[in-house]
Amino acid sequence: MQTQSLDNLQLINEIQLGTHLNHAVEGGRRADFALMLALLSTDLHENIPVDTTPIETLSSQQLRAYFEIPAPQPLTSTPSCYQRAAEQAQAFHQASLTSTRLLAQLQPTALSYPPQKTKGLPEDLFHNLSLHERRKLPPIELKPLQATPQDLYLALIKSKRQSEMSWAA
């Protein structure tokens, strides 16, 4: 007498049964149909065919090139923004408001024109200083400190060790 183990029959979906499932339905063999359905896996993740298609993410520059959209409006001024603003002003005086709007859309100027040559101070504060006080200001505008909390922590540890060594000596 032969016994068959059902452990090696791993049916994931009805495609593995071929046409046997259809023939069982057409032939009215309910027992075969029920057996074949019972052998199918009940895990939905196995039954649902999921093919992951790689999604290509396009950068904003690629999308702008594809849809022929001009460069975005800069947030702060650049040297070319001053020239563009002068061209727009000239277009306003020579032509009309419509031509100015057209130029603004084709070549957008900056949203903000921060003060220049004020040594990092607000413009109104800098202009309220006397010439002697302006002379005392550092000649170069100071850049903000480029430090991370980890760098600060390491610097504190280093200075603590150095002070411990100086006390011990």
Side-chain angles (χ1 to χ4, degrees):
M1 178 165 169
Q2 275 185 333
T3 59
Q4 288 186 344
S5 173
L6 297 178
D7 292 338
N8 58 359
L9 292 174
Q10 295 180 357
L11 296 176
I12 304 299
N13 54 26
E14 62 273 1
I15 295 173
Q16 290 175 310
L17 293 173
T19 59
H20 296 293
L21 193 62
N22 291 338
H23 290 301
V25 171
E26 289 175 1
R29 298 186 317 241
R30 299 182 80 170
D32 290 342
F33 179 74
L35 176 66
M36 285 185 241
L37 285 183
L39 291 175
L40 288 175
S41 174
T42 58
D43 188 10
L44 289 178
H45 297 292
E46 291 178 351
N47 286 335
I48 299 172
V50 178
D51 292 333
T52 57
T53 56
I55 299 172
E56 294 180 19
T57 56
L58 298 175
S59 68
S60 63
Q61 291 177 348
Q62 291 172 333
L63 289 173
R64 285 185 180 280
Y66 180 75
F67 290 113
E68 298 177 0
I69 298 173
Q73 186 173 15
L75 296 178
T76 58
S77 63
T78 59
S80 63
C81 287
Y82 291 100
Q83 182 181 359
R84 288 184 196 155
E87 290 171 0
Q88 288 178 12
Q90 185 179 7
F92 175 75
H93 290 293
Q94 290 180 350
S96 66
L97 186 60
T98 308
S99 62
T100 306
R101 287 184 181 162
L102 177 64
L103 275 177
Q105 293 301 317
L106 291 175
Q107 298 176 345
T109 59
L111 290 174
S112 164
Y113 288 89
Q116 295 180 344
K117 299 178 183 175
T118 60
K119 314 264 186 194
L121 295 173
E123 192 172 14
D124 55 347
L125 177 67
F126 181 77
H127 291 300
N128 279 337
L129 295 176
S130 68
L131 291 176
H132 298 291
E133 291 170 337
R134 287 185 199 173
R135 193 183 60 201
K136 292 178 185 176
L137 292 175
I140 304 170
E141 291 185 16
L142 298 175
K143 294 181 181 178
L145 182 62
Q146 300 291 328
T148 61
Q150 292 84 8
D151 294 338
L152 178 62
Y153 181 70
L154 291 174
L156 288 172
I157 289 175
K158 184 179 177 183
S159 68
K160 181 183 176 191
R161 298 285 186 235
Q162 287 177 346
S163 68
E164 287 174 354
M165 288 181 355
S166 65
W167 279 99

